[in-house]
Amino acid sequence: MSLPHPQGMSSFWRKDPLPLDNHRSTPHLPAESDLVIVGGGYSAGALVTHILAEYPDHPSILVLEARQLCSGATGRNGGHLKPDPYSHAGALANEHGLAAGQEVAAFENANLVAVKKYIEQENVDCDLVVTRGCDVHFKEEQVAQAKKALQMMNSGDAFQTCKNVEQVSGVKNARGCVTFTAGHLWPSKLIHHMFRQAIAQGVNVQTHTSVQSLTRLPDGRWSLLTSRGTVIARQVVMATNAYTAALLPEYHEQIIPYRAVSCRIVTPGKAPLLTNTYSLRFTDWDFDYLIPRPDGSIIVGGARSAYCQKKDAWYGNADDSGVIEETRRYFDGYMQRHFIGWEESNAHVDDIWTGIMGYSRDKLPRIGPIPHRDGLFIMAGWTGHGMPQIFLAAKGMAEMVVGGKPYSQTGLPRLFEETPDRMKAPNKVLEGWSKAKL
């Protein structure tokens, strides 16, 4: 499996350089650290934030990032801070029981509240907007399924199936829509703020330092061979998401690199004002998401139908140096095609980029101690849905890594715990692809 591509393409969020992009707290790599976090995205930033807040006598912390800070999935996603209170949670309830589904739904809602509180308390300049998310469904069977899930989850969210649902949602050919509280923000600005605070409190951050291998030493510590030398650590947290298997072979086909695409659409002409975020759910496996930016532009991600059939284009593909070409045509005329009143807007793609998500085999995050690897922890496998999960997941991780708590005492959803049994789960990513091919 691949390490991060050395020449990953840029994204809208990272067009302008940020001061910590190439930061190295010390000129040379320290020989030892109590705790090493591999990865420099949202997981790592949130983890150091909670460790510093909860544990004043924290161990020494070293963060190793293979490229620029926040240059992976966090710096390339859509900035969509959107819980899923009924669709994914309902599917989990059907498979694992109602309590398990409700637990995940409540956890994601709590994340949105916690992130908002953190940003307001810290006065973080990251364009946070809390609004309504609008899930749009286009087929009657989807509408029936959504109704059933909402009833099962006992959700109080708004559901529209009236004959004027197109006008309510603003989306052509809509047959139903669900609205609920959601948000959006500038992801890399949030993460850079977290790391600025961490560095000021003594956390050592080393960018452009790729970890090549991990070795367990006779004394129980871990040796990390990097592109700039070797570091010895008592504990290691793998915040590596799609790249986990490159260092831990047992995660091959467990956390799968999944290449995806987002774009920025600008609207020089007149167009209706969008205040909601959106998910356009064409089928169970094919959906796009949109966020309206404060500058008037729109971030759109998805386009699965354009490239899904070409498995090598996305499955196990960690090359973010170029865009999936089929998606360029997909996004042309996107707003005019799907949204009422946008026909004369001249909306067009201004920027398009690729990012590598880490899809978990069972489509659930992998959090906690790694089985049979004492001192090694994982916080990865977000399956394209990390924005409404990572912040409070990091709080639980801090309690395990530094506080010594067992997973069961952290308050994290039971389904997210890494266990040996999860390694044997069916590959739902491939199962979904097989259905999409039919």
Side-chain angles (χ1 to χ4, degrees), residues 19-152:
L20 297 181
D21 279 346
N22 306 302
H23 181 84
R24 288 179 177 173
S25 299
T26 54
H28 301 288
L29 211 57
E32 297 184 7
S33 182
D34 293 325
L35 172 61
V36 171
I37 302 171
V38 184
Y42 194 2
S43 293
L47 179 55
V48 294
T49 295
H50 284 292
I51 290 175
L52 296 174
E54 301 296 329
Y55 302 97
D57 299 323
H58 60 83
S60 59
I61 303 171
L62 171 65
V63 177
L64 302 177
E65 166 55 48
R67 302 186 295 195
Q68 290 185 320
L69 194 69
C70 198
S71 59
T74 308
R76 299 167 184 274
N77 67 30
H80 203 181
L81 191 61
K82 174 181 175 287
D84 185 344
Y86 75 102
S87 180
H88 183 54
L92 294 177
N94 282 326
E95 183 176 357
H96 301 282
L98 181 59
Q102 289 176 331
E103 196 172 56
V104 172
F107 178 74
E108 292 186 5
N109 286 329
N111 261 272
L112 176 57
V113 173
V115 171
K116 179 177 182 290
K117 181 179 179 181
Y118 172 80
I119 290 172
E120 290 174 346
Q121 288 181 340
E122 291 282 315
N123 194 27
V124 184
D125 177 17
C126 64
D127 293 355
L128 172 68
V129 176
V130 176
T131 179
R132 299 290 286 180
C134 182
D135 274 16
V136 178
H137 299 277
F138 296 91
K139 298 178 181 179
E140 294 301 334
E141 55 265 35
Q142 290 177 289
V143 172
Q145 187 177 6
K147 277 185 175 180
K148 184 178 179 180
L150 285 163
Q151 291 169 354
M152 177 175 61

